[in-house]
Amino acid sequence: MDWLTQMESKEKKKWEDMMSHHPFSFEDWEDSRKRLLTLLGREENRMVDEASLRAYLDCCAESVGSVHPLPDLADLVEEFFKKYGMDA
């Protein structure tokens, strides 16, 4: 989880708070964050701030509620991105 440990403590806390509300692992969040950044860079040639990344991933995670088995979060993020994009 290098990406999380490299953040300022305030930003790290926001990520940890958001992640704790969902049943996905830290690795799931890391993979999903990487996937979204890749999609944004490759398909839209843009970057977004951490708050926007967090909100998008939170929305994707929230969409599955308590479904079991849990889908792969990174695949879900890519599916949402391809279907709905990401508003600024």
Side-chain angles (χ1 to χ4, degrees):
M1 281 207 320
D2 288 337
W3 65 276
L4 193 57
T5 59
Q6 294 174 3
M7 291 184 183
E8 295 178 12
S9 61
K10 201 174 191 181
E11 192 65 45
K12 179 181 174 187
K13 175 79 170 122
K14 290 177 184 177
W15 273 98
E16 289 171 338
D17 288 346
M18 187 268 303
M19 292 186 294
S20 71
H21 292 104
H22 302 287
F24 295 100
S25 71
F26 286 118
E27 290 78 18
D28 291 331
W29 291 105
E30 181 176 22
D31 292 345
S32 300
R33 183 177 176 276
K34 284 180 187 176
R35 178 91 55 99
L36 183 55
L37 287 169
T38 298
L39 290 165
L40 284 165
R42 182 179 67 219
E43 297 184 16
E44 296 188 4
N45 197 30
R46 68 182 177 130
M47 294 293 297
V48 296
D49 60 16
E50 291 297 325
S52 297
L53 290 172
R54 214 174 28 255
Y56 197 88
L57 295 179
D58 187 37
C59 181
C60 291
E62 188 70 34
S63 74
V64 295
S66 59
V67 170
H68 291 290
L70 285 172
D72 181 81
L73 185 57
D75 289 345
L76 185 63
V77 167
E78 185 166 348
E79 181 182 327
F80 272 52
F81 185 84
K82 288 183 176 181
K83 189 170 185 176
Y84 305 110
M86 183 174 182
D87 291 336

